[in-house]
């Protein structure tokens, strides 16, 4: 049942079943700054979150940085070719060490050095060296050099972050005792690893800042009831009657089937397109007639803004005319969605709606709202 802000403050928890009346998150969970702050710990610090692609750092010493839930990390390939993640924080006095380095422009270093006092770490996180001033007490009249305690390199190393993979896709988890990535991903891990994702090269990246809550866009991505009215170039190539939205514990898959009455060259897809959404904020998109795939990172900035990072992977970073057309059509779809979700968010900000109502084909959105509520209540 739709609930309006009529002075009664009448909202309820998201129902376990979509057929029940209160089947959506209260509107305040999209607009309240306190909810955004809570999500930093209860969502983005407790679940496995996509960090980047292993193909970006093929050689030892290559690294990129990533900020998740307000925590910045360094993702680096060590000298044994293992990919590792560390907080971008020096063990000395907590300085940020490495400047922001996107996955598309990875850095390369034989070690990690903090510019503040030149503490230097090996790529496995162990402390390699400190300046002589940390071994001698020449400026301290109350200490002799022999009194200076030798630093234990392992105990004073960088703080490592849990990292695991689905094929070449790198995920991190900040929890002290997280569920395994295999448990969170379930059959999604097996399914994605059956595809040769590692074969493809990064070809394009688009970064967009959108004026709405991240869950607003996630909900829009997760259903296609809005497609008929808003995505004419997309909808003309698919048969919604034969499409299916599959829901699992922490992910859902949108199977879109090609409309055989439409010529293939007039459609974005041929055969079946699969859009995977992995809680909390990662998607992987496969289009039937594109020999490649796309990923989205839906990164919250605050309660009313998020950043969408859209990456495209093909066999070569030099795109063919057809691949370029595919990317541009996909980008057009994003921009159409940006307009929709910003309009929705304006309505939510008005304060008129207390709690919305989901339709029967929005079971994927219902699962998104349930997962958010379960995280908040944990």
């Amino acid at each position: 049942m739709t609930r309006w802000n009529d002075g009664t403050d009448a909202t309820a928890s998201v129902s376990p079943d979509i057929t029940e009346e209160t089947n959506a998150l209260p509107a305040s969970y999209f607009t309240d700054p306190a909810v955004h702050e809570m999500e930093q710990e209860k969502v983005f610090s407790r679940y496995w979150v996509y960090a980047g692609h292993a193909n970006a750092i093929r050689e030892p010493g290559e690294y990129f940085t990533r900020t998740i839930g307000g925590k910045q990390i360094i993702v680096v390939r060590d000298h044994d070719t293992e990919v590792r993640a560390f907080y971008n924080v020096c063990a000395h006095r907590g300085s940020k060490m490495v400047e922001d380095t996107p996955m598309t422009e990875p850095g390369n270093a034989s070690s990690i050095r903090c510019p503040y006092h030149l503490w230097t770490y090996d790529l496995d996180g162990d402390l390699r060296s400190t300046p002589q001033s940390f071994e001698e007490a020449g400026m301290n009249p109350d200490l002799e050099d022999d009194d200076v305690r030798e630093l234990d390199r392992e105990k004073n190393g960088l703080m490592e972050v849990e990292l695991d993979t689905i094929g070449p896709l790198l995920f991190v988890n900040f929890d002290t005792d997280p569920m395994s990535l295999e448990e969170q991903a379930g059959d999604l891990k097996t399914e994605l690893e059956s595809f040769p994702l590692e074969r493809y090269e990064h070809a394009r990246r688009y970064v967009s800042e959108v004026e709405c809550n991240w869950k607003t866009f996630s909900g829009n991505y997760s259903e296609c009831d809005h497609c008929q009215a808003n995505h004419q170039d997309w909808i003309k190539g698919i048969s919604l009657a034969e499409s299916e939205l599959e829901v699992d514990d922490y992910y859902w898959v949108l199977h879109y089937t090609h409309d055989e009455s439409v010529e293939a060259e007039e459609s974005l897809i041929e055969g079946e397109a699969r859009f995977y959404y992995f809680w909390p904020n990662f998607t992987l998109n496969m289009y039937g007639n594109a020999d490649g795939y796309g990923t989205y990172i839906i990164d919250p900035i605050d309660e009313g803004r998020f950043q969408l990072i859209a990456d495209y992977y093909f066999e070569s970073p030099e795109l063919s005319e057809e691949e370029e057309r595919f990317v541009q059509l996909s980008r057009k779809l994003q921009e159409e969605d940006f307009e929709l979700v910003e309009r929705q968010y304006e309505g939510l900000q008005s304060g008129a709606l207390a709690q919305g109502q989901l339709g029967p084909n929005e079971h994927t959105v219902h699962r998104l709202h349930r997962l958010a509520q379960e995280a908040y209540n944990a």
Side-chain angles (χ1 to χ4, degrees):
M1 179 178 70
T2 298
R3 298 170 187 253
W4 299 101
N5 273 325
D6 55 6
T8 62
D9 294 327
T11 61
S13 298
V14 184
S15 59
D17 193 315
I18 195 173
T19 61
E20 297 178 36
E21 286 189 342
T22 54
N23 62 8
L25 274 174
S28 62
Y29 284 75
F30 297 85
T31 60
D32 188 344
V35 173
H36 168 74
E37 291 303 319
M38 176 174 60
E39 288 175 341
Q40 303 303 293
E41 290 301 320
K42 293 204 168 189
V43 175
F44 295 98
S45 294
R46 294 187 181 176
Y47 293 93
W48 289 93
V49 177
Y50 180 66
H53 203 290
N55 284 3
I57 47 173
R58 295 181 183 276
E59 301 299 326
E62 291 186 329
Y63 69 89
F64 60 85
T65 62
R66 177 95 161 81
T67 300
I68 299 170
K71 303 175 176 67
Q72 192 179 85
I73 59 172
I74 304 167
V75 181
V76 61
R77 193 173 291 274
D78 69 17
H79 291 301
D80 294 324
T81 72
E82 181 181 353
V83 178
R84 312 178 76 140
F86 303 98
Y87 278 91
N88 189 10
V89 177
C90 181
H92 172 214
R93 282 163 55 187
S95 175
K96 174 181 174 179
M97 299 179 296
V98 175
E99 293 304 314
D100 296 351
T101 308
M103 187 189 74
T104 51
E105 301 174 21
N108 196 314
S110 60
S111 60
I112 300 170
R113 172 174 286 187
C114 177
Y116 195 5
H117 294 90
L118 303 184
W119 282 36
T120 303
Y121 304 87
D122 286 322
L123 300 181
D124 62 4
D126 286 351
L127 180 64
R128 175 189 291 182
S129 65
T130 57
Q132 190 172 354
S133 60
F134 284 82
E135 301 169 4
E136 299 175 354
M139 289 185 286
N140 187 339
D142 298 324
L143 281 182
E144 298 294 330
D145 289 350
D146 291 343
D147 297 328
V148 176
R149 175 172 48 86
E150 183 178 354
L151 290 173
D152 185 307
R153 294 190 177 189
E154 290 188 8
K155 290 182 179 179
N156 288 279
L158 298 178
M159 185 173 183
E160 192 157 9
V161 178
E162 291 281 345
L163 184 145
D164 204 345
T165 62
I166 297 178
L169 309 175
L170 307 172
F171 293 84
V172 295
N173 194 307
F174 298 98
D175 202 357
T176 54
D177 186 24
M179 75 171 89
S180 68
L181 177 58
E182 185 174 12
E183 180 181 353
Q184 184 178 320
D187 291 339
L188 178 67
K189 178 175 169 65
T190 303
E191 184 166 337
L192 291 183
E193 288 183 341
S194 71
F195 302 118
L197 301 180
E198 67 284 345
R199 193 180 81 198
Y200 298 91
E201 301 291 333
H202 187 267
R204 290 285 188 279
R205 165 169 283 199
Y206 293 94
V207 179
S208 307
E209 185 173 309
V210 187
E211 299 290 326
C212 78
N213 183 268
W214 69 279
K215 297 185 296 298
T216 311
F217 182 84
S218 295
N220 178 83
Y221 174 93
S222 299
E223 52 89 3
C224 207
D225 278 1
H226 70 279
C227 294
Q228 190 74 52
N230 297 281
H231 298 315
Q232 294 302 314
D233 288 341
W234 162 247
I235 201 70
K236 70 181 180 183
I238 66 174
S239 173
L240 283 180
E242 297 181 18
S243 299
E244 178 187 359
L245 308 183
E246 169 195 346
V247 180
D248 210 294
D249 289 345
Y250 294 101
Y251 72 91
W252 37 99
V253 189
L254 293 76
H255 301 265
Y256 293 122
T257 302
H258 175 60
D259 185 346
E260 295 183 358
S261 67
V262 177
E263 294 294 332
E265 61 267 17
E266 297 179 18
S267 173
L268 262 178
I269 70 167
E270 183 178 358
E272 183 186 58
R274 298 185 182 189
F275 289 8
Y276 297 88
Y277 192 107
F278 185 41
W279 169 262
N281 67 329
F282 174 69
T283 82
L284 189 143
N285 310 321
M286 291 183 176
Y287 295 86
N289 63 341
D291 190 12
Y293 57 94
T295 64
Y296 292 172
I297 305 172
I298 308 166
D299 266 345
I301 299 171
D302 54 35
E303 72 282 356
R305 291 179 301 155
F306 77 92
Q307 178 177 259
L308 183 74
I309 303 173
D311 290 304
Y312 294 90
Y313 296 85
F314 295 95
E315 288 195 332
S316 169
E318 302 299 323
L319 299 187
S320 67
E321 184 176 329
E322 182 181 356
E323 290 167 341
E324 187 66 52
R325 172 179 170 270
F326 156 74
V327 170
Q328 294 310 314
L329 285 171
S330 175
R331 180 64 178 164
K332 182 175 183 289
L333 193 66
Q334 293 166 32
E335 291 172 343
E336 291 169 348
D337 280 335
F338 294 161
E339 182 180 347
L340 296 176
V341 296
E342 288 186 338
R343 183 185 300 124
Q344 181 192 359
Y345 198 68
E346 281 189 58
L348 290 172
Q349 286 179 305
S350 73
L353 185 70
Q355 191 162 15
Q357 181 69 27
L358 300 177
N361 293 314
E362 296 176 319
H363 49 300
T364 44
V365 184
H366 178 255
R367 185 60 190 150
L368 173 77
H369 289 197
R370 286 281 297 173
L371 284 169
Q373 180 177 271
E374 288 170 9
Y376 303 156
N377 293 337

